Amino acid sequence: MLFRSRPGEPRPRPRRRPRTGTTGRRGPVRPARLLAVAVALGCAGGLLSPATAAPAAPVAAAREGSDRVRSLVARMTLDEKLSFVHWTAGAEGGPLARGVGYLPGVPRLGVPPLEVSDGPTGIRLNGVRATALPTPTALAATLDDGLAREYGRVLGHEGRALGQDVVLAPMVNIIRVPHGGRNFETFSEDPLVTSRTAAAEIEGIQSQGLMAAVKHLAGNNQETDRFTVDAAIDEQTLHEVELPAFRSAVDAGAAAVMCSYNSLNGAHSCGNESLLQSVLRDQWDFRGWVLSDWLATHATTDLTKGLDQELGLEMGKPTDPVPDSRHLGAALKAAIADGTVPESALDRAVIRIVGRMERFGLLAATAPARPARDAAAGRATARRIAENGAVLLRNTTTAGRPALPLTATAGTGLAVIGDSALRPKVSGLGSAHVVPDAAQAPLDALRERAGTGVTVTHEPGIDRLGGPLPAENLSPVFTGGKQLDAGGDRQFYEGTLTVPADGDYRIGMQVDGGMAVLQVGDRSPVYAADSFSDTTSVLMRLTRGTHRVTMSGWAWPDRPLKVDLAWVTPQRAAADFDRAVAAAAAADTAVVFAQDEGSEGYDRPSLSLPDGQDRLIAAVAKANPNTVVVLNTGSSVLMPWLDDTAAVLQMWYPGQEGAQATAALLYGDANPGGKLTQTFPAAEDAHPMAGHPERFPGVNGEQEYNEGVHTGHRWYEQQGVRPLFAFGHGLSYTSFGYRDLAVERTATGAAVRVTVRNTGDRTGKEAVQVYLGPGTRADVPQPVRKLAGYTKVTLAPGQEKRVTVPVDARQLQYWDRDRDTWQQAAGARTLQVGSSSADIRLTGRLEP
Ligand code: BGC
């Protein structure tokens, strides 16, 4: 059994901590250095110290890999074999990893080097621009496997073109905690949506010859204490909720699986034999390799428990020129020498890795040619997914006229409010951040689309960067646009900041060419790294007088680091706010852009929009009833102002083409068809985690998944709690009618047929959703209602189609924890078809 709780200690809450896999001028030391900075600032959370190595049983490498691969590995020296099981940042004098890691291969045996990069929303390479795709939450909201395949193809093609062989994507952990910092990086609270989207994306990635590493197995559903927390998940919940997407990724042929930082039922994931051997290999027949999350290893013996490779570089002494791997480098060599780890475990891991290389054609005499980058194709896909993943949450009609789409009437005045109207919110923060080729400001896209007859004004309302911090307020003077030489990490400024009066000051920083950390007194540090974040700022309460300031950072090898400091004084903030409300009052329509900051490394402290944006939206909506809110958030947010608005469009973090997509949707050139794949709670105390600290953030280092199989929308249904917006919700500029439901059992499960008609006057897309009630076994927990199938259909005005939604046999089963297997749920089941989980149009029965 996997279920076992582990006593633990409360850990400090990790603060925002950008992390990187980067390279240095002289060598591959950047990730460790960034970690060093984070550790020095007390921000790295509690990385576990190595567990005591236990003697390991011999590992049989029999039957893994082809004869050719086995014979290649047999001809490798011990050091050559060791070079496969930990990523480095580059061979001395050889190519440097621009992404997350580099493996040298064995050229003398025709085994080429490998490079790996993040990540889920585009190829992230330090200092290299790439297509920034919309966030995976946006992709999932399309409920369209074809688009997921297309998204994957862009990642695959671009990764290959940019010199990569493996991409650390997709992330398929369930959105369990509404506050989850990485929710934007994953797909849904629903296992079926996550499974289908993951499989299609992986097919797309791998169709281009790039290997996909699905992550993070398993239970990595929160950022709080992510390095140490133990996820206690019962077997049924594990198999029915968290694991299905991993299983689906394995079935889709994922080359690699990344194990997570957290522990699962008492054993850390990367040394968890039940998970990595019994489930992944024995039950699912996984043939690829398992790599750890960044330094998520705990012992050399992890290699005997199902782990094959370590990702990450261990920081040695600050003076060490090149960091080592933590457990699977020199430490593993010693463990093999003293017999703690059998060499056969190493052989098995290398066979698995080289085996995938063989399968991807990388051992062929002529390796697959790398394509040229196709930025235009990337752009087109980014645009298509931003448009299709947008969710129209609300659209009121006044005097017979809907608020959206906007009509381009000459003379109409549009007040565009919000910082992200000018500084586009493209990606979330952390390892999934992608530096886009280019990203237009939504304001400019709206101006272009509105045309010359329309007056378009802009006010930030809340400026998230502000104006340049006056040179004379810093002593010694720090001039904006400071150029630093490339080189090692170091403190490059120490001085004092003079503040004229007590108040809340926003201190901001923009960097290009590297990473910097700004520390004012003992306030939260301001981090900025061009590969991990856009502009960054922190609102801090400062008293009149002087405050100690330090700045440190480093540059990418190829260019100097440029740092610009900015601030917003309390007086300026108040004036910005008032001007925005006045501009809204004077316009015919106000379009407010709001954003949040989903990030790896920390969970959102609340579900409210940050930085006082709720107050701004409320004031604007009071000033102008024609207020349209555009949300650039990675996950659900509360909307206390909702009733006062005319429309709300959820754009997520829409990628580099977000501005154009937003303008097209607002003006009706594109018709929204996205659906929520996560429930939006109505209040901070009305979601599955509320009032349950043992669920989130956990108690004494352990989080209990005691909501069981009732995750996400299933919980709202079970508890009778009304959400703000239900799972599956999403409006369109047209409308759809449903009739003639027919349900029948098939050899592969069930087929649900329904006729859908476009009853409006625009072409639109509808995601037809099928929900299933429980079977008759009362002693097995079953969701009150689960999503069992969905199909997307495009209909012209007046057109109708007979749509078939297949329901897979697995959806009719439950996980039997006594027998460790799937069982058919007995009895007839209620079956509902609808446009959302809260908009059921037809109800039928699935007979036994
Ligand atoms: C993240 C992974 C990421 C890795 C490499 C880790 O901190 O959890 O998702 O792929 O870093 O950047």
Side-chain angles (χ1 to χ4, degrees):
M1 291 299 271
L2 293 177
F3 188 78
R4 178 163 68 83
S5 62
R6 181 184 66 101
E9 288 174 1
R11 299 272 169 180
R13 194 183 175 96
R15 283 186 278 158
R16 177 183 299 194
R17 185 183 68 91
R19 265 271 340 282
T20 183
T22 60
T23 58
R25 186 179 47 180
R26 284 180 305 114
V29 282
R30 287 272 154 67
R33 285 188 178 160
L34 187 51
L35 198 58
V37 172
V39 170
L41 291 165
C43 301
L47 289 177
L48 286 185
S49 50
T52 316
V59 171
R63 281 194 295 282
E64 298 234 19
S66 66
D67 290 348
R68 178 182 180 207
V69 167
R70 294 173 65 79
S71 119
L72 273 175
V73 176
R75 279 183 283 151
M76 290 180 191
T77 64
L78 179 63
D79 284 335
E80 284 170 342
K81 287 189 284 192
L82 284 165
S83 76
F84 283 92
V85 296
H86 59 271
W87 292 91
T88 70
E92 198 66 337
L96 293 174
R98 294 164 302 151
V100 176
Y102 171 82
L103 291 189
V106 185
R108 72 176 180 88
L109 295 176
V111 183
L114 287 186
E115 290 205 39
V116 60
S117 74
D118 280 307
T121 70
I123 301 298
R124 182 180 68 81
L125 295 172
N126 297 311
V128 177
R129 293 185 178 274
T131 303
L133 290 159
T135 48
T137 36
L139 173 63
T142 68
L143 290 181
D144 185 331
D145 297 342
L147 287 178
R149 231 166 261 122
E150 182 178 333
Y151 189 101
R153 279 198 297 272
V154 170
L155 275 173
H157 185 92
E158 202 142 292
R160 290 286 300 151
L162 292 170
Q164 304 303 298
D165 306 288
V166 184
V167 65
L168 303 175
M171 172 170 171
V172 304
N173 299 101
I174 288 292
I175 297 181
R176 171 178 183 256
V177 176
H179 301 74
R182 297 185 83 168
N183 286 356
F184 75 92
E185 272 190 71
T186 186
F187 297 126
S188 173
E189 67 192 18
D190 187 87
L192 178 63
V193 174
T194 308
S195 300
R196 278 178 56 173
T197 314
E201 184 183 318
I202 288 168
E203 283 162 20
I205 293 172
Q206 299 198 152
S207 71
Q208 306 301 300
L210 190 73
M211 294 185 262
V214 61
K215 65 191 188 185
H216 314 81
L217 186 72
N220 188 176
N221 311 92
Q222 68 180 43
E223 289 302 277
T224 308
D225 300 336
R226 71 168 171 154
F227 300 116
T228 56
V229 76
D230 183 20
I233 316 180
D234 70 83
E235 296 282 339
Q236 189 190 356
T237 303
L238 199 53
H239 283 275
E240 291 189 20
V241 178
E242 175 71 356
L243 293 185
F246 289 98
R247 170 76 197 256
S248 152
V250 166
D251 290 346
V257 171
M258 181 192 279
C259 48
S260 58
Y261 285 119
N262 58 281
S263 295
L264 177 66
N265 295 328
H268 66 269
S269 299
C270 292
N272 191 324
E273 245 178 320
S274 314
L275 182 66
L276 303 183
Q277 187 57 46
S278 310
V279 174
L280 192 58
R281 302 273 172 196
D282 301 345
Q283 287 176 19
W284 300 354
D285 197 22
F286 174 58
R287 300 294 176 89
W289 84 95
V290 176
L291 75 158
S292 72
D293 200 340
W294 187 270
L295 293 178
T297 46
H298 289 249
T300 54
T301 47
D302 286 351
L303 199 71
T304 65
K305 297 182 179 162
L307 179 72
D308 300 305
Q309 190 181 58
E310 180 175 84
L311 181 73
L313 299 173
E314 175 74 304
M315 180 182 39
K317 293 190 291 296
T319 46
D320 286 352
V322 179
D324 192 12
S325 55
R326 180 171 286 177
H327 292 294
L328 301 192
L332 177 61
K333 191 171 181 177
I336 289 174
D338 71 16
T340 315
V341 174
E343 192 169 342
S344 57
L346 175 63
D347 292 348
R348 183 180 71 173
V350 181
I351 287 170
R352 288 171 176 167
I353 297 162
V354 179
R356 289 304 97 176
M357 294 177 73
E358 180 187 44
R359 185 149 179 269
F360 278 73
L362 301 179
L363 302 184
T366 320
R370 290 195 184 274
R373 208 185 142 214
D374 188 348
R379 255 199 323 272
T381 297
R383 167 84 179 256
R384 198 159 23 250
I385 288 165
E387 286 180 1
N388 281 278
V391 182
L392 182 60
L393 294 175
R394 173 180 169 89
N395 196 12
T396 58
T397 300
T398 313
R401 224 196 87 208
L404 290 179
L406 298 173
T407 47
T409 319
T412 299
L414 207 62
V416 179
I417 316 279
D419 189 282
S420 45
L422 198 59
R423 277 189 277 269
K425 180 68 184 158
V426 173
S427 289
L429 309 182
S431 60
H433 183 81
V434 176
V435 184
D437 287 315
Q440 196 183 19
L443 174 64
D444 293 338
L446 283 172
R447 281 209 166 110
E448 276 169 23
R449 179 58 183 79
T452 46
V454 182
T455 311
V456 181
T457 58
H458 175 253
E459 288 295 338
I462 297 167
D463 191 333
R464 300 187 69 255
L465 185 65
L469 202 156
E472 60 274 19
N473 285 57
L474 280 171
S475 171
V477 166
F478 180 80
T479 44
K482 180 96 181 160
Q483 304 272 327
L484 298 170
D485 290 337
D489 49 331
R490 62 203 162 100
Q491 184 169 305
F492 57 81
Y493 181 84
E494 180 171 9
T496 53
L497 168 69
T498 303
V499 167
D502 293 1
D504 290 329
Y505 288 77
R506 179 170 294 283
I507 308 285
M509 186 163 56
Q510 259 182 324
V511 304
D512 181 54
M515 140 100 196
V517 186
L518 163 74
Q519 182 79 47
V520 180
D522 61 357
R523 308 300 187 279
S524 292
V526 187
Y527 293 103
D530 57 4
S531 305
F532 287 86
S533 53
D534 306 302
T535 297
T536 340
S537 65
V538 170
L539 192 63
M540 45 185 94
R541 174 142 296 218
L542 296 174
T543 47
R544 180 171 185 268
T546 56
H547 299 263
R548 181 169 182 268
V549 172
T550 58
M551 281 183 263
S552 52
W554 56 91
W556 306 141
D558 55 343
R559 58 205 158 111
L561 176 70
K562 186 171 177 292
V563 178
D564 286 302
L565 296 183
W567 77 348
V568 183
T569 61
Q571 296 71 21
R572 180 175 163 155
D576 285 346
F577 190 96
D578 293 345
R579 273 203 320 278
V581 178
D588 294 294
T589 302
V591 180
V592 192
F593 285 78
Q595 70 172 92
D596 74 349
E597 290 289 12
S599 174
E600 180 180 339
Y602 69 101
D603 294 315
R604 290 183 294 163
S606 92
L607 299 178
S608 299
L609 285 167
D611 299 329
Q613 291 175 94
D614 282 335
R615 198 168 76 85
L616 177 68
I617 299 171
V620 166
K622 282 267 183 278
N624 189 331
N626 294 327
T627 290
V628 175
V629 178
V630 176
L631 290 173
N632 288 136
T633 67
S635 193
S636 56
V637 286
L638 302 180
M639 304 179 203
W641 32 258
L642 186 67
D643 291 347
D644 293 330
T645 61
V648 180
L649 179 66
Q650 172 58 266
M651 288 301 299
W652 314 105
Y653 305 146
Q656 66 176 47
E657 303 302 309
Q660 297 88 330
T662 305
L665 287 157
L666 289 178
Y667 276 96
D669 306 333
N671 189 355
K675 302 281 187 177
L676 290 184
T677 63
Q678 57 188 301
T679 310
F680 277 37
E684 197 69 62
D685 61 358
H687 57 78
M689 303 294 119
H692 286 278
E694 81 287 3
R695 291 182 187 168
F696 171 74
V699 175
N700 292 335
E702 178 179 302
Q703 45 168 166
E704 282 182 55
Y705 284 49
N706 60 13
E707 73 280 14
V709 297
H710 311 286
T711 321
H713 59 100
R714 300 164 169 193
W715 179 88
Y716 289 84
E717 197 66 37
Q718 183 211 30
Q719 299 289 320
V721 173
R722 213 182 143 82
L724 185 63
F725 291 111
F727 177 87
H729 172 72
L731 305 171
S732 164
Y733 295 150
T734 188
S735 49
F736 300 96
Y738 286 61
R739 64 178 164 79
D740 296 339
L741 172 64
V743 184
E744 59 167 322
R745 293 260 178 189
T746 62
T748 54
V752 178
R753 294 197 176 80
V754 67
T755 300
V756 185
R757 181 182 175 84
N758 183 340
T759 50
D761 56 8
R762 282 169 188 265
T763 295
K765 293 183 183 173
E766 172 73 328
V768 179
Q769 303 161 40
V770 171
Y771 294 89
L772 194 65
T776 47
R777 268 200 67 172
D779 56 332
V780 176
Q782 291 180 60
V784 179
R785 195 169 66 164
K786 70 190 261 191
L787 180 71
Y790 56 89
T791 297
K792 191 91 179 252
V793 58
T794 305
L795 295 170
Q799 190 187 2
E800 66 176 34
K801 275 187 191 162
R802 190 81 181 141
V803 177
T804 300
V805 185
V807 174
D808 191 74
R810 178 54 46 80
Q811 299 306 321
L812 307 174
Q813 299 171 336
Y814 66 91
W815 181 263
D816 185 330
R817 44 179 119 178
D818 298 325
R819 299 198 185 131
D820 256 6
T821 186
W822 293 96
Q823 296 285 345
Q824 187 72 24
R829 305 180 72 160
T830 306
L831 197 142
Q832 297 177 318
V833 181
S835 180
S836 102
S837 65
D839 183 7
I840 298 300
R841 305 293 183 84
L842 298 166
T843 300
R845 255 163 79 91
L846 179 64
E847 299 302 339

